Structures are given as C-alpha cells and as structure tokens.
Amino acid sequence: MKRKIIYIHIVFLIIIALILSIFYKNYSIKKTYFVIALENMKSKAFLEIREITWSTNYIISDFDKGGFSIENILFLKSKVEFVSYIIDALRSIDINSFEIRGYINTLNSMYNTFFRLDRFLSKVSEYIKNGGKPFNLLDDNDNKFLIKTKKDIYNELLLYYDLFSKLDFEITTKFPTGTELFNKIIKTWDIEKANKILYPSERN
C-alpha cells in the first residue's frame, strides 16, 4: 500500500507539473518541470530494480535456511509491484529516449516481466500460507506448468535472478542523471531471457 501511495504521488507530481506548464509561455520552464519528474522516476526505477536483484539473490542463496519465508517473499513483491507501476508510467510519458534502439520494446518486456513476477510472488505467498498447495505458473487452466515443490519455486526465481544479475548497476559518475542510470538497464536487458520467463514453452 505504501508503494502504491508513493507511485500515485509521483504521477500526481508529473500531472501538476504539466498543468503548471500551461501557465508559462517560456518553453524551457515548461520542459524543466516535466524533465525533473521524469528523471526522478528513472532514478527510482534503477535503485528499486537493483534492490530487487539483491533481494532475489538473498532468497535463493539462503533458500533452505531463512531466505524462503513469507516475509521475504512479500518484501520482494512490494518492490516488484512498485517497479511495475513506474515502468508502466514510463511507457506512456517517456518520449525523449526513443533514440535508443528498441527502447519501447525493452520497456514493454520489462513491464511484462515484472508484472509476471508480481503474480508469481502472490502465488508463492499463497503457497506458503496453504502449506504447499501446488499452483499453476500461468494464469490459465492449463496444468502443464504446475509448481508443486519448493524446488520448482527456487528454479523459477533462479530464472529471474539470471536475468537481473546481468544488468548494469555500476555507477561510474559522481552525479548521474536518472536517464543515465535507467539507460544502463535498458541497454543490458535481455529480451530473449525475459521471453523464456514469460513463455515457459520456449525454454529448452
């Protein structure tokens, strides 16, 4: 809930910035309000995705001891849900980064992947609460991809971590912009790996 409030606040600030820009004839002033809000969103997305990677690694690294717990799963889910909201917003308002080849396709892939992870973590939390009741990986009635054991959950999380761990989270400049940070993720996001998560039938 707290993450949703933060997201709504971010979107509200952008809307206010756009409304305020109407009252200014100076184009540079209008652009400044929007750019600042956009940069903040991208910077936040970068930091949250980095934390998602760390959290996923913690869960799978300590899976059989304390990593696989309802608390850790729900914490990760809150991060993933928040990132999904930000990326969904960026798909609609980020019109200045299309010079990067395949930018919108990558954004769509990111959104779909985090949305799927959010759904998966919801099911995992129910799995824990229900004492290990099997669940369908996909949101349909096809039981071809049924999650039955903790090992199945571990393997699925491992796929996500394999994707996230290859992203560039290195900060090489002292005061990077949100666009500079977020573009590191855009440029290192592997759509092919993401598709294997989204479409289990494509896995080898």
Side-chain angles (χ1 to χ4, degrees):
M1 180 62 68
K2 185 177 180 180
R3 295 291 174 182
K4 289 183 179 179
I5 294 174
I6 295 174
Y7 167 73
I8 293 172
H9 181 65
I10 291 173
V11 174
F12 177 75
L13 288 176
I14 293 174
I15 293 173
I16 291 298
L18 292 175
I19 293 174
L20 288 174
S21 70
I22 297 175
F23 298 98
Y24 291 93
K25 295 182 179 180
N26 190 322
Y27 174 76
S28 63
I29 295 177
K30 291 191 293 183
K31 186 175 180 180
T32 297
Y33 281 104
F34 179 80
V35 168
I36 290 175
L38 191 59
E39 289 295 316
N40 288 338
M41 287 182 67
K42 289 182 176 182
S43 180
K44 188 64 176 176
F46 174 88
L47 296 174
E48 292 292 315
I49 293 172
R50 185 176 63 177
E51 190 163 354
I52 285 171
T53 303
W54 292 343
S55 298
T56 305
N57 181 47
Y58 174 75
I59 291 174
I60 62 178
S61 297
D62 199 35
F63 196 82
D64 292 326
K65 296 180 180 179
F68 184 65
S69 67
I70 187 68
E71 293 80 13
N72 290 335
I73 293 298
L74 291 178
F75 175 78
L76 178 58
K77 183 184 183 307
S78 69
K79 296 286 182 182
V80 169
E81 186 177 23
F82 184 47
V83 165
S84 296
Y85 289 139
I86 295 179
I87 294 176
D88 193 27
L90 288 175
R91 293 196 301 169
S92 302
I93 65 176
D94 189 11
I95 60 175
N96 296 319
S97 296
F98 295 146
E99 68 272 9
I100 297 179
R101 185 177 180 181
Y103 184 84
I104 189 62
N105 289 335
T106 302
L107 265 187
N108 288 333
S109 174
M110 290 173 65
Y111 173 76
N112 291 332
T113 301
F114 284 111
F115 181 82
R116 173 64 62 80
L117 178 55
D118 180 49
R119 293 287 299 121
F120 176 69
L121 293 172
S122 293
K123 294 178 181 180
V124 171
S125 66
E126 290 301 315
Y127 174 92
I128 296 174
K129 292 177 184 177
N130 295 330
K133 182 180 179 180
F135 62 88
N136 195 343
L137 179 60
L138 304 178
D139 293 327
D140 54 33
N141 295 322
D142 186 359
N143 293 325
K144 183 178 180 180
F145 301 104
L146 199 64
I147 301 297
K148 300 179 180 179
T149 67
K150 288 175 61 177
K151 183 65 174 178
D152 293 333
I153 295 172
Y154 174 88
N155 288 336
E156 198 66 24
L157 288 174
L158 200 60
L159 290 174
Y160 284 99
Y161 180 69
D162 183 52
L163 171 64
F164 300 154
S165 64
K166 302 301 189 298
L167 299 175
D168 183 5
F169 294 116
E170 184 179 4
I171 300 177
T172 57
T173 57
K174 192 172 183 179
F175 300 108
T177 65
T179 293
E180 289 172 339
L181 292 174
F182 192 68
N183 283 352
K184 285 176 172 288
I185 292 180
I186 290 291
K187 292 176 180 178
T188 52
W189 183 269
D190 191 328
I191 293 181
E192 185 176 344
K193 281 187 177 181
N195 283 343
K196 289 183 179 180
I197 292 174
L198 296 170
Y199 310 107
S201 59
E202 295 185 7
R203 301 174 189 176
N204 294 328

